[in-house]
Amino acid sequence: MSSSNHPLSRRAFAGAVTAGAAAAAGVAASAPEALADASGTPSERPFRAARERRAKRPNILFILGDDLGWADLSSYGSPHIRTPNLDRLARRGVRFTDAYAGSATCSPTRFSLYTGRFPGRTKGGLAEPIADRSAGLEPSHPTLASLLREAGYATALIGKWHCGYLPDYSPTRSGWDEFFGNFGGALEYYSKLGLAGEYDLYEGDAEYRDLRYYTRIITERAAEYVSREHDRPWLLNLNFTTPHWPWIADGDTEQSAEIVRRIKAGDRNALWHQDGGSVDKYREMVEDLDRSVGRVLAALRRAGREQDTLVVFASDNGGERFSYNWPLSGNKASLQEGGIRVPTLLSWPARIDGGQVSHEPVFSPDWTATLLELAGTRPHPAYPLDGASLAGYLLRGEAAPRRDLFWRVRGERALRRGNWKYYRGKTGRDQLFDLAGDVREQADKAAVEPARLAELKAAWERTDAGLLPY
């Protein structure tokens, strides 16, 4: 199921080193070139499990960026954004070139990660994304957190929840022992005002007043959590809002005040910030995200827990207006590659060697299944998972799971099988792409591969038939 067309797989990984050397010399970084050691051997090698190792159940730190594009990290080929901390995480583990979000927008992807199931299996997952208080993740539904808690884990969620609002929905009702963050899909970074003008920073189910820059606040909280003396393994879901709009970097207090003025004046579109932002401002926000992740990982190292902590970093969907998605087509809200393929890094030094790259297709529900297996527990039998565990692939040298990756959003459908992708966009036309040679999805093979198109379309429709209707 590996994809053979990965133009950035080794070349892009060298971006951080190339950029760092250029910055030190005071010159602009050129396009990343293949990183090699003294013998000329590329430093990023194809993934291979280190099967002889044993380790206790890991702590789990799952970090989500918000609307971060596939190539917005220097290790994925960004020509202008420098992310040395995330590049270090990649060097200490595995970089996935063909990793996908469970959906094309914020809340359904979170449903897919927390439940391990397609968003369309739950009523709350039908919202794309949740925009009012009528939808949410039902507290009765098993989650990654509730299942790990039953297996003896401490659980916490810091940052963006976006799976429903109080009083009916909350992380503390769905398996997380602790919650500190925001309930909605977006907030102004200083005032903490949300889309409806509500204050949206909470500790548990109570408002928490702090008017500093939001990314600073949740970074501090996460660093404190991983530094604690824990008497059992833990799960921390760390969900940044960076680099989601509004386009406000740390220190942009005048821009913040203007957006707050518009919100208080009744402008319901103020947070969308359609008249603001720039490529350079976006760069500031992504590089701030990188520094923030670096602070949390540094706290983990100081606490002596880096070796025994499994860290996953990913984005909740593809990039938006200012993202760098090349060579992918489409962006957030689309089921083209640019809307669902996301940067994904994994590190677990106790069990997995560093400096590796994997081209196996994986998506959000797979991480749920994988983490449950690594924690020594199983999904609830009444709620079977749609993801496949990667534990055998990552730890035991087994082949990666062979199955279809399925997506459905209003007006679009997609299914990936091996290197082939079936896609129907809002034009209503069925298309077929061979991602091995056409990751940009420009050469439609539907007319020359009608049997394959029919097979993948039928597979999509069989899965769709088992989901809740819109």
Side-chain angles (χ1 to χ4, degrees):
M1 197 166 176
S2 299
S3 177
S4 60
N5 181 44
H6 302 285
L8 302 178
S9 63
R10 289 176 178 162
R11 174 170 55 85
F13 184 73
V17 174
T18 304
V27 298
S30 60
E33 298 298 337
L35 178 64
D37 60 23
S39 68
T41 302
S43 65
E44 189 180 52
R45 62 191 185 281
F47 176 77
R48 184 175 181 179
R51 286 178 286 175
E52 68 276 6
R53 296 181 183 172
R54 295 290 181 268
K56 59 186 178 182
R57 295 193 301 173
N59 304 312
I60 300 166
L61 172 57
F62 203 109
I63 307 172
L64 277 181
D66 199 353
D67 293 1
L68 184 72
W70 182 76
D72 279 336
L73 307 183
S74 43
S75 55
Y76 280 80
S78 174
H80 62 289
I81 301 175
R82 301 295 168 235
T83 53
N85 295 289
L86 288 165
D87 299 337
R88 179 183 183 275
L89 184 66
R91 290 194 299 272
R92 291 186 61 81
V94 186
R95 187 176 65 89
F96 289 82
T97 62
D98 289 40
Y100 294 89
S103 191
T105 53
C106 305
S107 61
T109 288
R110 292 161 203 271
F111 271 75
S112 73
L113 175 62
Y114 299 153
T115 68
R117 311 175 80 208
F118 299 133
R121 296 206 185 279
T122 57
K123 183 178 178 182
L126 298 179
E128 295 171 342
I130 289 175
D132 59 44
R133 297 177 183 272
S134 66
L137 178 55
E138 289 295 336
S140 60
H141 195 297
T143 64
L144 174 65
S146 68
L147 294 167
L148 288 182
R149 186 165 68 178
E150 290 172 5
Y153 273 68
T155 58
L157 191 151
I158 295 174
K160 177 174 170 175
W161 165 239
H162 205 188
C163 286
Y165 293 86
L166 292 172
D168 298 318
Y169 310 107
S170 170
T172 59
R173 289 162 166 76
S174 289
W176 283 270
D177 300 321
E178 302 178 32
F179 169 58
F180 181 87
N182 62 301
F183 281 91
L187 83 171
E188 196 280 307
Y189 282 81
Y190 281 98
S191 68
K192 314 304 182 296
L193 297 183
L195 287 162
E198 77 283 10
Y199 185 82
D200 193 14
L201 177 58
Y202 286 76
E203 185 168 36
D205 293 349
E207 283 190 7
Y208 185 92
R209 306 298 295 187
D210 192 332
L211 299 182
R212 294 178 298 149
Y213 190 69
Y214 187 41
T215 310
R216 296 286 74 69
I217 299 169
I218 62 175
T219 299
E220 288 177 6
R221 281 289 180 131
E224 185 276 329
Y225 187 87
V226 304
S227 299
R228 285 185 205 169
E229 288 296 330
H230 294 271
D231 61 1
R232 50 186 169 144
W234 46 262
L235 162 72
L236 172 57
N237 288 100
L238 174 54
N239 298 345
F240 288 97
T241 55
T242 312
H244 194 290
W245 42 262
W247 315 109
I248 295 175
D250 197 358
D252 290 343
T253 53
E254 290 185 9
Q255 185 67 251
S256 167
E258 172 59 19
I259 290 177
V260 170
R261 184 195 65 76
R262 291 167 56 185
I263 292 172
K264 292 183 175 180
D267 182 354
R268 299 297 292 268
N269 295 318
L271 278 186
W272 289 72
H273 209 184
Q274 294 283 3
D275 58 347
S278 65
V279 170
D280 191 57
K281 185 57 61 179
Y282 185 79
R283 176 192 57 78
E284 283 188 59
M285 295 179 75
V286 175
E287 291 184 352
D288 183 56
L289 171 64
D290 177 76
R291 287 189 296 272
S292 300
V293 171
R295 291 185 182 109
V296 176
L297 297 180
L300 190 69
R301 286 194 295 276
R302 288 194 299 270
R305 300 192 178 101
E306 185 178 45
Q307 289 290 315
D308 295 323
T309 299
L310 188 157
V311 180
V312 179
F313 175 87
S315 180
D316 60 351
N317 47 248
E320 234 214 41
R321 277 173 274 172
F322 300 111
S323 290
Y324 182 72
N325 271 349
W326 181 262
L328 310 181
S329 294
N331 52 19
K332 177 182 177 179
S334 166
L335 293 183
Q336 290 182 288
E337 292 292 287
I340 51 177
R341 194 184 288 214
V342 293
T344 300
L345 309 171
L346 179 146
S347 173
W348 185 13
R351 292 298 308 272
I352 296 173
D353 290 335
Q356 301 194 83
V357 61
S358 172
H359 305 309
E360 295 295 341
V362 300
F363 73 151
S364 300
D366 293 339
W367 296 117
T368 318
T370 303
L371 298 177
L372 292 177
E373 181 174 344
L374 296 179
T377 191
R378 296 181 179 181
H380 192 291
Y383 299 86
L385 304 185
D386 292 309
S389 175
L390 306 170
Y393 169 68
L394 293 171
L395 304 181
R396 299 187 292 272
E398 299 172 7
R402 292 323 193 237
R403 78 278 189 244
D404 298 336
L405 303 187
F406 169 95
W407 298 271
R408 182 188 77 169
V409 302
R410 283 180 173 83
E412 296 197 20
R413 55 169 69 178
L415 181 140
R416 175 168 175 170
R417 176 179 294 175
N419 287 322
W420 290 93
K421 180 178 176 182
Y422 162 59
Y423 171 68
R424 180 194 289 181
K426 291 181 173 59
T427 64
R429 181 162 57 95
D430 291 326
Q431 296 179 282
L432 182 69
F433 300 104
D434 181 1
L435 298 178
D438 180 31
V439 72
R440 192 155 172 76
E441 297 172 288
Q442 297 298 303
D444 183 5
K445 302 293 186 182
V448 295
E449 292 271 2
R452 192 187 301 273
L453 173 65
E455 182 181 1
L456 269 60
K457 178 179 178 180
W460 187 94
E461 291 176 343
R462 284 194 299 272
T463 299
D464 178 64
L467 305 184
L468 297 175
Y470 285 118

